[in-house]
Amino acid sequence: MKTSISQTEMDKNLLVVTAIQGYAENHNMSESEVFEKFQANNMLSLIRNEYEALHTQPLEETVGFVEDVMKRYETA
């Protein structure tokens, strides 16, 4: 049985990928390292949950969003 993914789910995935790639580039990390870090800090679901607000902004804003949240985690 073929299952299709909705456009919204594909867009959420794009935001997650963009955030991982941008964070990796900004912090000189591999994308797999960032994925693990995001997973450990529940960032993947946070990005997906904030889709309604984030998808209205340029993709760079998603990277800025995760940068801000991760800074808060690291200083807490």
Side-chain angles (χ1 to χ4, degrees), residues 23-73:
Y23 193 92
E25 185 176 315
N26 291 349
H27 295 273
N28 214 16
M29 298 172 71
S30 72
E31 291 169 359
S32 61
E33 289 173 314
V34 173
F35 178 81
E36 290 176 16
K37 183 173 186 158
F38 280 14
Q39 201 168 32
N41 289 289
N42 208 28
M43 286 300 298
L44 303 174
S45 62
L46 179 61
I47 295 165
R48 295 178 67 78
N49 289 338
E50 293 299 321
Y51 168 77
E52 288 302 320
L54 292 172
H55 91 280
T56 63
Q57 305 298 315
L59 290 174
E60 297 81 21
E61 290 297 318
T62 299
V63 176
F65 171 74
V66 297
E67 291 279 353
D68 184 49
V69 173
M70 290 304 296
K71 282 179 190 172
R72 293 177 192 191
Y73 283 147

